[in-house]
């Protein structure tokens, strides 16, 4: 999907780095109105040459603070000691307090898988308050509303993951379409589908859907 758009709409979004796997490439900081990271993510940003002066804040309990490399940015530290919430959760609360309702998140997957599942649970808790979109080297993923349309996705992997269930879901533009069907995390999920049309639509009656969209076109032959 295209993240190269500039202008007011992109500047209304926040960019957040958290402490999963470091991204393979870094987004353009000029496209965002606010840029933040958790304390663990600070170290991979420094290692990758991200312009640290662009960070608006660095939040967390600073259990991974390594000393002098962070001291010059100490005025940007926001100490969040609440152990009942993850660093990701607390960073979203700060971003929300600063007036942003759209957040692009890097570093949400990889590493210890309980962290990845925890990040999804946090995003689920905020889904009615903020638009949260994760990016990793394979896909972008986010919760979608009951009526949703994707464009420019032909030949890309599309996975529909019930969270934990979804009812009367109908899709158009996928190789294996669904028509008023049910998905459940305990019985049937909708992963590893792919788009055969440039436009894909998803509608469902109740429940919640976590949508994954592959970054690159699939490499195996398309069967129509």
């Amino acid at each position: 999907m295209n993240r190269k758009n500039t202008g007011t709409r992109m500047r209304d979004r926040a960019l957040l780095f958290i402490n999963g796997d470091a991204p393979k490439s870094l987004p353009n900081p000029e496209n965002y109105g606010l840029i933040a990271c958790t304390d663990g993510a600070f170290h991979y940003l420094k290692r990758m040459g991200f312009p640290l002066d662009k960070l608006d804040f660095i939040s967390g309990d600073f259990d991974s603070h390594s000393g002098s490399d962070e001291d010059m940015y100490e005025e940007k530290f926001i100490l969040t000691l609440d152990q009942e919430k993850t660093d990701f959760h607390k960073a979203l609360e700060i971003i929300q307090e600063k007036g942003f309702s759209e957040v692009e998140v890097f570093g949400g997957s990889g590493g210890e898988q309980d962290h990845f599942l925890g990040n999804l649970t946090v995003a689920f808790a905020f889904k009615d308050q903020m638009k949260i979109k994760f990016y990793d080297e394979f896909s972008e993923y986010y919760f979608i509303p009951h009526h949703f349309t994707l464009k420019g996705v032909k030949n890309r992997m599309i996975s529909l993951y019930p969270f934990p269930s979804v009812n009367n879901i109908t899709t158009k533009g996928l190789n294996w379409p669904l028509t008023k069907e049910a998905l459940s995390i305990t019985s049937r999920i909708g992963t590893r589908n792919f788009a055969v049309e440039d436009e894909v639509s998803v509608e469902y009656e109740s429940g919640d859907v976590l949508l994954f969209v592959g970054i690159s076109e699939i490499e195996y032959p398309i069967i129509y």
Side-chain angles (χ1 to χ4, degrees):
M1 303 296 287
N2 188 353
R3 285 183 278 108
K4 296 182 179 180
N5 297 325
T6 57
T8 302
R9 180 167 173 75
M10 285 299 292
R11 294 284 297 173
D12 287 341
R13 297 179 185 176
L15 172 62
L16 175 62
F17 297 97
I18 59 180
N19 195 25
D21 281 351
K24 298 297 183 183
S25 60
L26 294 168
N28 184 352
E30 300 303 322
N31 289 341
Y32 300 91
L34 180 145
I35 303 172
C37 71
T38 58
D39 55 348
F42 177 92
H43 302 295
Y44 71 66
L45 290 178
K46 179 176 182 290
R47 186 171 64 250
M48 296 178 70
F50 187 81
L52 299 175
D53 59 303
K54 298 289 186 181
L55 292 171
D56 291 281
F57 70 83
I58 308 159
S59 67
D61 54 16
F62 295 96
D63 55 356
S64 59
H65 191 311
S66 63
S68 61
D69 62 338
E70 294 175 21
D71 286 345
M72 68 181 70
Y73 300 102
E74 190 170 2
E75 75 282 358
K76 297 185 178 184
F77 288 179
I78 299 179
L79 185 63
T80 55
L81 294 176
D82 186 353
Q83 295 302 309
E84 296 300 314
K85 299 176 181 178
T86 66
D87 285 348
F88 178 37
H89 188 124
K90 291 178 282 189
L92 288 178
E93 288 182 329
I94 297 168
I95 290 170
Q96 190 175 43
E97 289 171 0
K98 293 181 178 293
F100 290 81
S101 59
E102 294 189 38
V103 187
E104 295 192 352
V105 180
F106 290 77
S109 59
E112 298 177 351
Q113 293 308 298
D114 58 335
H115 285 170
F116 172 59
L117 293 174
N119 291 336
L120 296 181
T121 302
V122 169
F124 179 79
F126 279 85
K127 70 180 178 60
D128 295 326
Q129 308 166 51
M130 309 177 79
K131 294 180 180 178
I132 301 170
K133 183 177 288 189
F134 294 92
Y135 293 93
D136 61 26
E137 63 176 308
F138 304 107
S139 61
E140 57 186 57
Y141 48 102
Y142 44 91
F143 289 96
I144 61 172
H146 288 238
H147 300 273
F148 189 75
T149 300
L150 281 167
K151 295 184 178 181
V153 292
K154 188 173 182 180
N155 294 345
R156 295 185 188 273
M157 182 274 293
I158 306 289
S159 287
L160 304 168
Y161 193 80
F163 207 89
S165 61
V166 60
N167 298 308
N168 286 336
I169 184 168
T170 296
T171 65
K172 295 180 180 179
L174 296 180
N175 189 64
W176 295 288
L178 300 172
T179 304
K180 296 188 178 299
E181 299 181 49
L183 301 176
S184 171
I185 193 174
T186 60
S187 57
R188 182 193 183 200
I189 58 178
T191 58
R192 311 310 296 180
N193 209 330
F194 60 89
V196 293
E197 302 290 343
D198 191 61
E199 182 172 300
V200 169
S201 65
V202 182
E203 295 185 4
Y204 61 98
E205 184 177 296
S206 61
D208 288 286
V209 177
L210 181 64
L211 177 75
F212 291 78
V213 182
I215 296 296
S216 303
E217 292 187 2
I218 55 177
E219 296 180 356
Y220 49 86
I222 307 298
I223 302 173
Y224 293 96

